[in-house]
Amino acid sequence: MATLALKGVRKEYGKSVVALKGLDLDIGDGEFFVLLGPSGAGKTTTLKCVAGLEQPTLGHVEIGGLDVSNIEPNARKVAMAFENYALYPQETVYDNIAFPLRSRRYYREPGEAQSIIERVTTTLGINHLLQRLPRELSGGQKQRVALARVLVRPADVLLLDEPLSHLDAKLRAAMRAELKSLGELQSTTSLYVTHDYLEALALGDRIAVLNEGELVQVGTREEIWHRPVNTFVAKAFGQPQINLVEGEVIPGHDGPRFHGANGAVDLPMHGFDVTPGRKVITGMRPRDLVMDAKPGMAHIKGSVWVTEPLGRQQEVTLEAGGQHIAVITPLSSLAIGDTVTISVPVSRILLFDAESGQRIPAKDDAAGAARPIAEMEVSRG
Ligand code: ADP
Ligand code: MG
């Protein structure tokens, strides 16, 4: 085990591509750290720089406090599972996974190797496939075999590049839960790359959001969810996406109000230090909104635009003042075009500056960041 740090890591490919623009990260010993970002953000490049498969153009990587710039990849005690795996086509699944444990470097007695392999493959749900050849496996199964081969060997740092990306949604949800139970992942410093926000929320002790080679935010799942630094992070977490409504702060008889969507969205702003005239964006998560007019809450009137069942719940999209607003509610009979009122718990409103997209802190900012995340308690089957 070891700490892992990136110090001002910049990576250029040729003259025109800057994949990383000076990354600083400090990952604790034994921490499970998730790097989340869209395709092209620089996630794989980050892992390659740590593994030594690419040299940073500027900056360096430290493992266990030691600058590893001059240490060859195979001497770094780093194990990396690639997004695009390669298995030995002539060997069984068992032999593919056992391969590192038969090498001189990671040698284990056959009986010991077998019990490690059984444990890891059971967790990954591939223990019934051990005698098959790679060509007899689906893409998702092959990916888990490749992951197992990385997990069975000891390493100071584990690098996992979208290891569940080839699995279907249901299996991916199951694997998210299983992966956390693996001792290998609990005890090894891990840098896990994904573009799936649910994976990041479920697995990460901390999460870093990467975009265009730059870190946008680093924090706990609650900080990222309740206190996103800007609209990019707010939009990156949540399905359906957070509702963002552009508007302006206007004076009201009991303090400033938010006025947006041609007046259809009118919300009190007493939770924020904002003055009339400021152009802002409000953010409301679909699961925080409540169908019907509840006392003590702000209200938005709209008409039903689309409804879509989600298990025991439904996603209702309203049209309000030319703006679409998504709400997750219990199943009920709603017809397209019905006029409805939704309630907004005022304490859940996020506010952003319209120009910069940066979040405007709430007066009770510290308190709000500790709330649990409703989305994670919802079964998505
Ligand atoms: P991610 O893994 O987040 O999808 P990558 O790290 O693979 O992103 O890529 C980051 C950027 O660097 C992309 O614009 C990609 O096209 C570019 N890139 C990655 N590898 C190379 C390479 N070997 N040569 C040139 N450009 C590359
Ligand atoms: Mg990648």
Short mmCIF file of all heavy atoms in Angstrom, two decimals, residues 43-44 83 161-162 193, ligand 2:
data_model
loop_
_atom_site.label_atom_id
_atom_site.label_comp_id
_atom_site.label_asym_id
_atom_site.label_seq_id
_atom_site.Cartn_x
_atom_site.Cartn_y
_atom_site.Cartn_z
N LYS A 43 -8.94 10.93 -18.64
CA LYS A 43 -8.94 9.92 -17.57
C LYS A 43 -7.90 8.83 -17.83
O LYS A 43 -7.08 8.53 -16.97
CB LYS A 43 -10.35 9.29 -17.44
CG LYS A 43 -11.46 10.30 -17.20
CD LYS A 43 -12.82 9.65 -17.03
CE LYS A 43 -13.32 8.87 -18.24
NZ LYS A 43 -13.57 9.71 -19.43
N THR A 44 -7.94 8.24 -19.03
CA THR A 44 -7.00 7.17 -19.34
C THR A 44 -5.57 7.71 -19.32
O THR A 44 -4.65 7.05 -18.84
CB THR A 44 -7.34 6.54 -20.71
OG1 THR A 44 -8.66 5.98 -20.62
CG2 THR A 44 -6.36 5.44 -21.09
N GLU A 83 -9.33 -0.44 -20.20
CA GLU A 83 -10.68 -0.41 -20.76
C GLU A 83 -10.77 -1.44 -21.89
O GLU A 83 -11.73 -2.18 -21.99
CB GLU A 83 -10.93 1.00 -21.29
CG GLU A 83 -12.34 1.28 -21.64
CD GLU A 83 -12.52 2.72 -22.11
OE1 GLU A 83 -11.56 3.51 -22.03
OE2 GLU A 83 -13.62 3.02 -22.57
N ASP A 161 -9.56 1.23 -15.26
CA ASP A 161 -10.07 2.12 -16.31
C ASP A 161 -11.43 1.63 -16.82
O ASP A 161 -11.50 0.73 -17.64
CB ASP A 161 -9.07 2.17 -17.47
CG ASP A 161 -9.34 3.35 -18.41
OD1 ASP A 161 -10.35 4.06 -18.19
OD2 ASP A 161 -8.56 3.54 -19.36
N GLU A 162 -12.48 2.21 -16.32
CA GLU A 162 -13.86 1.86 -16.70
C GLU A 162 -14.05 0.34 -16.73
O GLU A 162 -14.50 -0.21 -17.74
CB GLU A 162 -14.21 2.47 -18.07
CG GLU A 162 -13.79 3.95 -18.15
CD GLU A 162 -14.71 4.79 -19.01
OE1 GLU A 162 -15.87 4.43 -19.17
OE2 GLU A 162 -14.24 5.85 -19.48
N VAL A 193 -11.50 4.83 -12.67
CA VAL A 193 -11.98 5.77 -13.68
C VAL A 193 -13.34 5.34 -14.22
O VAL A 193 -13.56 4.16 -14.50
CB VAL A 193 -10.96 5.84 -14.85
CG1 VAL A 193 -11.62 6.35 -16.11
CG2 VAL A 193 -9.79 6.74 -14.46
MG MG B 2 -10.46 6.40 -21.45
#
